[in-house]
Amino acid sequence: MTDTNPESNTASTEPRSSNFLRDMIAEDVRTKKYGDAVIQTRFPPEPNGYLHIGHAKAIFLDFGLADEFGGKTNLRFDDTNPEKEEQEYVDSIQKDVRWLGFEWDRLCYASDYFGQLYEWALKLIRAGKAYVDDLTADEIRKYRGTLTEPGKDSPYRDRSVEENLDLFQRMKSGEFPDGSRVLRAKIDMASPNLNMRDPVMYRILHATHHRTGDEWCIYPMYDYAHGQSDSIERVTHSMCTLEFADHQPLYRWYIEQLGIFPSQQIEFDRLNLTYTLLSKRKLLQLVQEGHVRGWDDPRMPTLSGIRRRGFTPEAIRAFVGAAGATRTNGIIDIEMLEHFQRDDLNRRARRAMAVLRPLKIVIDNYPEGQEEMVEVANNPEDPAAGTRQVPFSRELYIEQDDFREVPPPKYYRLSPGKEVRLRNAYFVTAHSVQKSADGSVVEVHCTYDPASRGGNSPDGRKVKSTIHWVSARHALAAEVRLYDKLFLTPDPGDVEEGKTFLDNLNPGSLEILTGAWVEPSLAQASLENPYQFERVGYFCLDPDSTPGQLVFNRTLALKDSWAKIEKKAGA
Ligand code: ATP
Ligand code: MG
C-alpha cells in the first residue's frame, strides 16, 4: 500500500486541464449568482460498495473545483437504502477519499435529514402536491406508461389532504406492511419525462438502518432525498454523472415546490475505461462469488484494489485531471491510466534487483568463499535517492529468459560463448551448461573479467546486453504476484445473449511465482514505497508479506522491447 500523508499530498499542485464545469462555476462566481456565498459542492456516494476509479473522477471534480474557487466540499453518504448499505462501506469510502488526497469540510449523511424530509413531505401533502397510493409496485409500473404512451392516473390520486396525512403518518408509525403503500409526488402522468409521472417519494421498508436503527420504517427515494439534502447543505453546484440528466426537472421541482435553497445540478460524463467494469453491482458480484480475492484484490478497479496494486494518488489525480469533463460519455483506453502511473513511478520508484524465474550461474574463476559489495544508484532519475551496496559472489541467479543455449537471431543476452554485462558488476562469458534429466538447463558456468568491475572493461570492449542478477547466497526468497487485465475484452459488459460479463473474465489475470529471489536490501521494503525491479517492472510490497516471506505485487510491467520483437516475429 502506498498510504501517503494528505498534508504533503494536496491536489492543488497538479495542472488542471480546462473543462466546462470550471467555466460554469467561474461564470457563476463572476455574476455573483449566489451572492457572497462560497462555492459549495458535495461528493455523495451511496455506502453500498467500495469506491472505484470512476468515483475518483467525481471526487477530483467535486473537491478540486471547490478548492480552486475557495469553496468547500462535504462528504455526504447517500444512505437511503438500508438493505444494501453497511458501515464497512462508510469506513472504506472515507479512507479512500483521504488517500486520494482530499479532506472534506463536513461529514454528512442523508439519514441526518430524515426528520426534515418527512416534514417537507407533510408540507407537500398539505399543498395537494403528494398523495398516498395503494397500487402495488407492479400496478404502478403498468400505470406509468411508456416513452410513447402517456401514463394513467392512479385511482388513489385524488384522495383528500386529510386522508393522505392520516395514511402517511400511519405509514411512518409502522401500521402497514412493506410494499403496501407509497407516497407519490402529484405532478403529471402525461409528462414526456417518465421521472415526472408522479414519482414515488417514500416506500415502506421495515429494515434496520446502519445509522438510524429501527427509528424509521419509511425511507425516501434517491430523487426525493438528493436535491433537498443539497439544499440543506446550501450546495451551489451539485455535480453528478450524465445518467441523472433526466432527473434534473424533478430535482428542481421539489426544490421549487418547497421554496428552499436553489442548489443546481450539473451533469458530466462518466469515466469509462477499456477492459474495466465500473459498476458497483458487478464489482460486488465478483467479490461475493469469489472471482477475485476481495474488494481490494489488486486486479479490481476499486481504489483499495489499485492502491494495493501499487497505484499512487498522484498518478490517479493526474489521470482524472487529464480526462477532464465533458457532456458526452466516452471510453478511455486503460493504457492512458497506465501511462500516467508509469510516469509517476519512473520518477519515484527505487530501483532494486529481483529475479522472478531464476536460473543459477556459477562464475568458475571467481574464488569460492569470496564476496564483495558493488555500489548501485537507488534511482538514476533522482540523485538525491542515493546509493546502496549490493553483494556479489560466485553463484548468482539470473532470469531464465536471459539465457538461451541456442540463441535465436537478434538474441543478445547470455548464451554459450557470448559475453554480457552483469549490471553494475562485471562482464561474464558463458561456457557450459548443466542439465537435468528432462534436458532443461539448471546451471550455467561462466567466467568473469576481473578488470571489468563496475561494468566497463578498460580495453573498451563492448557488450550488447546488460542483465540483472542477485547473489544466490545473499538473496531473499519472495513470492511475486503478476497481474494482467481482469477481463479479456475491451468492453466486458458487452456480451451476446445467454452470456454474462463473467464469461469475459481473463483466466490468466493472476500468476503467482513462488520461487523468486530478491536482493537483500528489500528486507527493509515498506508498504509506502514503490520499487522498480530493474528490467522487470514496477512492484510494491503486499500486506500479506511477513518478515520470513516477502510478497510483492507487480504494479505494471515495463515496456518490454524484446517482447515486441518476438511478437512481431511471431505475427
Ligand atoms: P454504480 O452505478 O456503480 O452503482 P453509482 O453512480 O451509483 O455507481 P454512487 O455512490 O451513487 O455510485 O456515486 C457517487 C458519485 O460518484 C455520484 O455523483 C456519481 O455520479 C459519481 N460516479 C459514479 N460512477 C462514476 C464514474 N464512472 N465516473 C464519474 N463519476 C462517477
Ligand atoms: Mg448512484
Side-chain angles (χ1 to χ4, degrees):
M1 264 189 287
T2 50
D3 253 324
T4 45
N5 171 11
E7 296 280 13
S8 61
N9 185 26
T10 55
S12 44
T13 50
E14 268 107 45
R16 289 155 189 277
S17 62
S18 132
N19 72 52
F20 80 95
L21 295 168
R22 174 181 299 110
D23 299 343
M24 198 161 172
I25 297 174
E27 181 64 6
D28 291 345
V29 169
R30 197 184 63 78
T31 60
K32 288 196 174 256
K33 182 171 174 187
Y34 293 95
D36 290 324
V38 294
I39 296 302
Q40 176 75 54
T41 64
R42 86 290 170 261
F43 172 61
E46 183 179 355
N48 62 351
Y50 280 60
L51 296 182
H52 53 60
I53 179 87
H55 292 115
K57 168 168 167 165
I59 293 169
F60 183 83
L61 292 170
D62 291 328
F63 284 86
L65 288 173
D67 188 49
E68 221 177 297
F69 290 94
K72 292 177 173 174
T73 306
N74 295 340
L75 174 59
R76 184 203 313 142
F77 288 102
D78 171 24
D79 56 349
T80 54
N81 192 0
E83 287 174 315
K84 294 192 171 158
E85 296 161 6
E86 285 173 31
Q87 187 61 36
E88 176 194 349
Y89 300 137
V90 170
D91 296 338
S92 75
I93 288 168
Q94 295 186 48
K95 180 174 174 184
D96 288 347
V97 171
R98 287 200 165 116
W99 175 73
L100 266 184
F102 298 100
E103 188 61 53
W104 47 90
D105 181 39
R106 280 180 292 155
L107 182 62
C108 306
Y109 295 84
S111 56
D112 289 342
Y113 313 136
F114 282 173
Q116 176 68 78
L117 292 169
Y118 177 75
E119 291 303 320
W120 280 337
L122 293 175
K123 184 174 171 180
L124 290 176
I125 294 173
R126 284 192 202 100
K129 302 283 184 184
Y131 62 97
V132 172
D133 197 347
D134 299 358
L135 291 183
T136 64
D138 254 6
E139 287 166 332
I140 290 180
R141 207 170 306 122
K142 285 199 193 104
Y143 275 68
R144 183 169 290 131
T146 63
L147 283 173
T148 50
E149 269 173 66
K152 264 196 316 189
D153 286 0
S154 161
Y156 303 98
R157 198 174 196 261
D158 292 319
R159 275 178 161 148
S160 69
V161 167
E162 288 66 35
E163 192 183 0
N164 280 320
L165 284 174
D166 173 61
L167 285 172
F168 185 51
Q169 278 155 350
R170 286 161 63 195
M171 277 169 65
K172 176 184 181 258
S173 60
E175 228 176 275
F176 309 122
D178 288 4
S180 57
R181 292 194 157 91
V182 291
L183 183 71
R184 298 178 73 174
K186 196 171 185 175
I187 308 179
D188 177 7
M189 288 305 292
S191 170
N193 182 338
L194 270 74
N195 293 297
M196 300 298 275
R197 294 185 188 173
D198 291 10
V200 173
M201 294 166 57
Y202 272 92
R203 64 220 194 276
I204 302 174
L205 210 59
H206 289 84
T208 303
H209 186 279
H210 66 103
R211 292 191 77 239
T212 58
D214 295 321
E215 191 185 336
W216 295 88
C217 63
I218 53 170
Y219 289 95
M221 302 299 287
Y222 169 87
D223 281 319
Y224 181 65
H226 198 79
Q228 283 80 288
S229 300
D230 282 346
S231 180
I232 290 169
E233 294 170 23
R234 302 188 89 76
V235 167
T236 54
H237 298 81
S238 176
M239 293 172 269
C240 63
T241 35
L242 282 166
E243 69 270 23
F244 292 102
D246 287 347
H247 297 242
Q248 176 157 175
L250 181 55
Y251 179 101
R252 286 211 304 265
W253 189 86
Y254 285 128
I255 285 180
E256 277 161 20
Q257 296 304 316
L258 293 167
I260 55 180
F261 182 83
S263 299
Q264 199 199 332
Q265 177 177 307
I266 316 162
E267 306 88 15
F268 62 86
D269 60 319
R270 280 182 88 82
L271 179 78
N272 294 307
L273 284 176
T274 55
Y275 297 95
T276 310
L277 279 178
L278 296 179
S279 144
K280 281 194 278 191
R281 187 177 57 77
K282 289 176 182 161
L283 297 178
L284 177 66
Q285 191 180 345
L286 290 173
V287 173
Q288 284 180 335
E289 295 178 5
H291 302 290
V292 293
R293 292 177 167 190
W295 282 101
D296 69 346
D297 186 301
R299 292 166 291 178
M300 290 280 274
T302 52
L303 295 180
S304 52
I306 60 183
R307 171 167 68 229
R308 185 167 181 174
R309 172 86 169 251
F311 278 62
T312 59
E314 291 82 357
I316 294 166
R317 291 196 307 255
F319 167 70
V320 293
T326 71
R327 285 192 211 257
T328 38
N329 279 323
I331 181 154
I332 294 179
D333 205 318
I334 183 90
E335 285 179 358
M336 175 172 161
L337 170 63
E338 295 177 353
H339 165 76
F340 275 87
Q341 190 55 70
R342 279 199 186 89
D343 205 45
D344 180 54
L345 289 174
N346 182 43
R347 251 177 285 122
R348 297 195 299 137
R350 294 193 151 219
R351 274 45 170 184
M353 289 198 283
V355 173
L356 271 43
R357 297 175 180 87
L359 171 65
K360 188 177 255 186
I361 69 169
V362 180
I363 303 173
D364 291 330
N365 62 337
Y366 193 91
E368 232 163 304
Q370 180 173 315
E371 61 181 63
E372 63 189 286
M373 291 295 199
V374 297
E375 190 175 22
V376 178
N378 284 327
N379 183 355
E381 305 279 322
D382 175 17
T387 61
R388 68 187 187 286
Q389 303 289 323
V390 179
F392 183 89
S393 65
R394 187 171 193 261
E395 298 195 355
L396 310 166
Y397 293 117
I398 63 167
E399 299 285 351
Q400 288 166 15
D401 260 2
D402 285 339
F403 177 78
R404 288 279 196 282
E405 193 180 8
V406 182
K410 290 190 188 161
Y411 186 89
Y412 299 123
R413 301 179 227 174
L414 199 60
S415 59
K418 278 263 187 65
E419 187 171 49
V420 301
R421 177 187 294 108
L422 292 178
R423 187 160 175 75
N424 298 304
Y426 293 100
F427 286 7
V428 290
T429 308
H431 293 294
S432 61
V433 298
Q434 262 174 35
K435 294 187 180 179
S436 65
D438 70 0
S440 55
V441 176
V442 291
E443 203 170 282
V444 179
H445 286 263
C446 305
T447 52
Y448 84 122
D449 174 2
S452 63
R453 191 174 202 280
N456 286 301
S457 123
D459 63 10
R461 206 160 75 240
K462 294 265 185 290
V463 290
K464 279 204 164 151
S465 186
T466 301
I467 64 177
H468 63 278
W469 50 273
V470 292
S471 164
R473 181 150 27 105
H474 303 91
L476 305 174
E479 174 179 317
V480 173
R481 299 176 183 168
L482 304 179
Y483 302 101
D484 197 353
K485 294 183 173 77
L486 186 53
F487 293 100
L488 292 166
T489 50
D491 184 1
D494 179 26
V495 287
E496 52 188 83
E497 238 189 88
K499 300 215 161 175
T500 74
F501 70 97
L502 296 172
D503 293 299
N504 290 327
L505 277 169
N506 175 6
S509 61
L510 169 62
E511 184 182 0
I512 299 180
L513 303 176
T514 51
W517 295 102
V518 304
E519 66 168 69
S521 74
L522 288 170
Q524 270 88 49
S526 70
L527 293 172
E528 287 73 36
N529 289 324
Y531 297 91
Q532 185 194 108
F533 291 175
E534 300 207 39
R535 300 181 60 240
V536 181
Y538 294 104
F539 289 79
C540 67
L541 196 66
D542 188 86
D544 284 348
S545 267
T546 59
Q549 177 64 34
L550 294 170
V551 180
F552 287 96
N553 294 318
R554 183 173 68 192
T555 309
L556 289 170
L558 298 174
K559 286 180 188 157
D560 182 344
S561 48
W562 173 250
K564 264 185 225 152
I565 294 174
E566 252 181 348
K567 212 168 152 189
K568 249 191 214 156

Tab-separated table of all heavy atoms in Angstrom, residues 53 55-56 121 133 137 143-144 170 193 212 221 258 291 321 344 353 360 365 387 427 434 473 517 530 545:
chain	number	residue	atom	x	y	z
A	53	ILE	N	-12.323	3.715	-9.588
A	53	ILE	CA	-11.581	4.761	-10.284
A	53	ILE	C	-12.525	5.804	-10.910
A	53	ILE	O	-12.172	6.969	-11.038
A	53	ILE	CB	-10.615	4.137	-11.337
A	53	ILE	CG1	-9.816	5.175	-12.114
A	53	ILE	CG2	-11.335	3.208	-12.295
A	53	ILE	CD1	-8.554	5.589	-11.466
A	55	HIS	N	-15.244	6.899	-9.461
A	55	HIS	CA	-15.533	7.835	-8.369
A	55	HIS	C	-14.379	8.821	-8.174
A	55	HIS	O	-14.600	9.949	-7.748
A	55	HIS	CB	-15.776	7.077	-7.060
A	55	HIS	CG	-17.035	6.263	-7.064
A	55	HIS	ND1	-17.034	4.887	-6.981
A	55	HIS	CD2	-18.332	6.628	-7.153
A	55	HIS	CE1	-18.281	4.457	-7.017
A	55	HIS	NE2	-19.094	5.485	-7.124
A	56	ALA	N	-13.155	8.372	-8.491
A	56	ALA	CA	-12.003	9.273	-8.326
A	56	ALA	C	-12.187	10.518	-9.190
A	56	ALA	O	-11.799	11.618	-8.808
A	56	ALA	CB	-10.700	8.553	-8.689
A	121	ALA	N	-42.354	16.394	3.356
A	121	ALA	CA	-43.351	15.550	2.688
A	121	ALA	C	-44.751	15.941	3.171
A	121	ALA	O	-45.700	16.042	2.373
A	121	ALA	CB	-43.075	14.074	2.983
A	133	ASP	N	-50.470	6.266	-2.290
A	133	ASP	CA	-51.011	5.384	-3.329
A	133	ASP	C	-50.999	3.945	-2.832
A	133	ASP	O	-49.992	3.479	-2.289
A	133	ASP	CB	-50.142	5.515	-4.600
A	133	ASP	CG	-50.848	4.964	-5.825
A	133	ASP	OD1	-51.881	4.267	-5.649
A	133	ASP	OD2	-50.378	5.222	-6.945
A	137	ALA	N	-46.445	-2.270	-6.601
A	137	ALA	CA	-45.309	-1.822	-7.418
A	137	ALA	C	-45.548	-2.165	-8.887
A	137	ALA	O	-45.285	-1.350	-9.790
A	137	ALA	CB	-44.016	-2.461	-6.927
A	143	TYR	N	-49.228	1.515	-14.791
A	143	TYR	CA	-49.902	2.807	-14.940
A	143	TYR	C	-48.967	3.895	-15.458
A	143	TYR	O	-49.397	4.942	-15.896
A	143	TYR	CB	-50.460	3.269	-13.580
A	143	TYR	CG	-51.830	2.716	-13.233
A	143	TYR	CD1	-52.008	1.364	-12.974
A	143	TYR	CD2	-52.936	3.557	-13.137
A	143	TYR	CE1	-53.247	0.856	-12.628
A	143	TYR	CE2	-54.193	3.064	-12.794
A	143	TYR	CZ	-54.339	1.708	-12.537
A	143	TYR	OH	-55.569	1.221	-12.191
A	144	ARG	N	-47.649	3.649	-15.346
A	144	ARG	CA	-46.718	4.721	-15.680
A	144	ARG	C	-46.672	5.012	-17.176
A	144	ARG	O	-46.284	6.100	-17.595
A	144	ARG	CB	-45.308	4.384	-15.174
A	144	ARG	CG	-44.302	5.509	-15.435
A	144	ARG	CD	-42.981	5.317	-14.721
A	144	ARG	NE	-43.126	5.495	-13.295
A	144	ARG	CZ	-42.657	4.651	-12.372
A	144	ARG	NH1	-41.999	3.577	-12.741
A	144	ARG	NH2	-42.846	4.884	-11.105
A	170	ARG	N	-49.536	7.101	9.365
A	170	ARG	CA	-49.644	5.693	9.787
A	170	ARG	C	-48.595	4.827	9.077
A	170	ARG	O	-48.111	3.839	9.644
A	170	ARG	CB	-51.065	5.196	9.549
A	170	ARG	CG	-52.013	5.781	10.605
A	170	ARG	CD	-53.455	5.721	10.195
A	170	ARG	NE	-53.937	4.345	10.027
A	170	ARG	CZ	-55.074	4.040	9.395
A	170	ARG	NH1	-55.847	4.999	8.885
A	170	ARG	NH2	-55.445	2.782	9.278
A	193	ASN	N	-41.371	13.226	-19.750
A	193	ASN	CA	-40.269	12.721	-18.912
A	193	ASN	C	-40.851	11.767	-17.873
A	193	ASN	O	-41.601	12.156	-16.978
A	193	ASN	CB	-39.579	13.914	-18.245
A	193	ASN	CG	-38.393	13.480	-17.400
A	193	ASN	OD1	-38.293	12.325	-16.968
A	193	ASN	ND2	-37.492	14.422	-17.153
A	212	THR	N	-29.650	4.854	11.679
A	212	THR	CA	-30.858	5.237	12.411
A	212	THR	C	-31.551	4.034	13.050
A	212	THR	O	-32.598	4.181	13.680
A	212	THR	CB	-31.843	5.999	11.493
A	212	THR	OG1	-32.155	5.150	10.380
A	212	THR	CG2	-31.232	7.287	10.981
A	221	MET	N	-36.959	8.028	-1.386
A	221	MET	CA	-36.276	7.605	-2.607
A	221	MET	C	-35.122	8.568	-2.887
A	221	MET	O	-35.137	9.714	-2.447
A	221	MET	CB	-37.247	7.641	-3.798
A	221	MET	CG	-38.473	6.781	-3.633
A	221	MET	SD	-38.071	5.040	-3.436
A	221	MET	CE	-37.563	4.628	-5.110
A	258	LEU	N	-40.944	23.412	-2.556
A	258	LEU	CA	-40.665	23.618	-1.132
A	258	LEU	C	-40.125	25.009	-0.851
A	258	LEU	O	-40.068	25.432	0.302
A	258	LEU	CB	-39.662	22.555	-0.635
A	258	LEU	CG	-40.221	21.123	-0.634
A	258	LEU	CD1	-39.097	20.106	-0.444
A	258	LEU	CD2	-41.282	20.956	0.450
A	291	HIS	N	-14.670	-14.511	-7.529
A	291	HIS	CA	-13.863	-14.415	-8.753
A	291	HIS	C	-12.579	-13.629	-8.496
A	291	HIS	O	-11.618	-13.730	-9.244
A	291	HIS	CB	-14.659	-13.750	-9.873
A	291	HIS	CG	-15.930	-14.471	-10.195
A	291	HIS	ND1	-15.938	-15.701	-10.811
A	291	HIS	CD2	-17.226	-14.178	-9.931
A	291	HIS	CE1	-17.189	-16.117	-10.948
A	291	HIS	NE2	-17.984	-15.206	-10.414
A	321	GLY	N	-7.556	14.246	-13.898
A	321	GLY	CA	-7.479	15.645	-14.291
A	321	GLY	C	-7.348	15.775	-15.799
A	321	GLY	O	-8.024	16.581	-16.432
A	344	ASP	N	4.726	8.443	-13.138
A	344	ASP	CA	4.910	8.774	-11.719
A	344	ASP	C	5.924	7.814	-11.087
A	344	ASP	O	6.832	8.242	-10.366
A	344	ASP	CB	3.542	8.670	-11.030
A	344	ASP	CG	3.632	8.987	-9.548
A	344	ASP	OD1	4.151	10.063	-9.215
A	344	ASP	OD2	3.196	8.158	-8.734
A	353	MET	N	17.156	-5.113	-7.579
A	353	MET	CA	17.288	-6.248	-8.493
A	353	MET	C	16.544	-7.444	-7.913
A	353	MET	O	16.641	-7.750	-6.717
A	353	MET	CB	18.752	-6.569	-8.762
A	353	MET	CG	19.398	-5.480	-9.642
A	353	MET	SD	20.927	-6.002	-10.438
A	353	MET	CE	22.066	-5.882	-9.074
A	360	LYS	N	20.441	-20.545	-12.136
A	360	LYS	CA	21.691	-20.318	-11.409
A	360	LYS	C	22.870	-20.213	-12.380
A	360	LYS	O	22.955	-20.974	-13.349
A	360	LYS	CB	21.947	-21.472	-10.436
A	360	LYS	CG	23.138	-21.197	-9.518
A	360	LYS	CD	23.330	-22.311	-8.511
A	360	LYS	CE	22.865	-21.882	-7.136
A	360	LYS	NZ	23.192	-22.911	-6.114
A	365	ASN	N	35.826	-18.825	-12.380
A	365	ASN	CA	37.101	-18.211	-11.989
A	365	ASN	C	36.969	-17.181	-10.871
A	365	ASN	O	37.872	-16.406	-10.613
A	365	ASN	CB	37.804	-17.591	-13.219
A	365	ASN	CG	36.978	-16.486	-13.857
A	365	ASN	OD1	35.755	-16.449	-13.691
A	365	ASN	ND2	37.634	-15.592	-14.584
A	387	THR	N	22.694	5.940	-2.969
A	387	THR	CA	23.148	4.652	-3.493
A	387	THR	C	23.028	3.597	-2.406
A	387	THR	O	22.777	3.913	-1.255
A	387	THR	CB	24.631	4.730	-3.922
A	387	THR	OG1	25.408	5.063	-2.772
A	387	THR	CG2	24.844	5.769	-5.014
A	427	PHE	N	31.707	-8.077	-16.528
A	427	PHE	CA	31.417	-8.808	-17.769
A	427	PHE	C	31.558	-10.299	-17.479
A	427	PHE	O	32.507	-10.706	-16.792
A	427	PHE	CB	32.437	-8.460	-18.862
A	427	PHE	CG	32.262	-7.102	-19.481
A	427	PHE	CD1	31.339	-6.181	-18.978
A	427	PHE	CD2	33.033	-6.743	-20.594
A	427	PHE	CE1	31.197	-4.923	-19.570
A	427	PHE	CE2	32.886	-5.489	-21.178
A	427	PHE	CZ	31.981	-4.587	-20.663
A	434	GLN	N	24.750	-27.189	-17.281
A	434	GLN	CA	24.385	-28.468	-16.662
A	434	GLN	C	22.904	-28.644	-16.861
A	434	GLN	O	22.132	-27.695	-16.691
A	434	GLN	CB	24.671	-28.415	-15.162
A	434	GLN	CG	25.993	-29.048	-14.785
A	434	GLN	CD	26.288	-28.851	-13.320
A	434	GLN	OE1	25.374	-28.855	-12.505
A	434	GLN	NE2	27.548	-28.682	-12.992
A	473	ARG	N	23.739	-16.630	-2.474
A	473	ARG	CA	23.908	-16.799	-1.038
A	473	ARG	C	23.192	-15.706	-0.238
A	473	ARG	O	22.785	-15.912	0.886
A	473	ARG	CB	25.416	-16.783	-0.724
A	473	ARG	CG	25.764	-16.979	0.726
A	473	ARG	CD	27.123	-17.658	0.923
A	473	ARG	NE	28.093	-17.453	-0.133
A	473	ARG	CZ	29.158	-16.634	-0.028
A	473	ARG	NH1	29.364	-15.932	1.068
A	473	ARG	NH2	30.022	-16.541	-1.009
A	517	TRP	N	13.749	-14.615	-6.256
A	517	TRP	CA	14.814	-14.169	-5.351
A	517	TRP	C	14.997	-12.673	-5.517
A	517	TRP	O	15.053	-12.174	-6.630
A	517	TRP	CB	16.137	-14.875	-5.676
A	517	TRP	CG	16.115	-16.361	-5.438
A	517	TRP	CD1	15.998	-17.334	-6.380
A	517	TRP	CD2	16.233	-17.029	-4.172
A	517	TRP	NE1	16.022	-18.581	-5.790
A	517	TRP	CE2	16.169	-18.426	-4.425
A	517	TRP	CE3	16.379	-16.583	-2.852
A	517	TRP	CZ2	16.247	-19.379	-3.420
A	517	TRP	CZ3	16.463	-17.528	-1.835
A	517	TRP	CH2	16.391	-18.917	-2.124
A	530	PRO	N	7.166	2.543	-3.622
A	530	PRO	CA	7.157	1.766	-4.858
A	530	PRO	C	8.590	1.363	-5.252
A	530	PRO	O	9.543	2.058	-4.895
A	530	PRO	CB	6.583	2.741	-5.880
A	530	PRO	CG	6.902	4.103	-5.354
A	530	PRO	CD	7.031	3.987	-3.854
A	545	SER	N	2.703	-9.806	3.126
A	545	SER	CA	4.112	-10.066	3.437
A	545	SER	C	4.348	-10.277	4.923
A	545	SER	O	3.737	-9.609	5.750
A	545	SER	CB	4.957	-8.850	3.038
A	545	SER	OG	5.448	-9.004	1.757
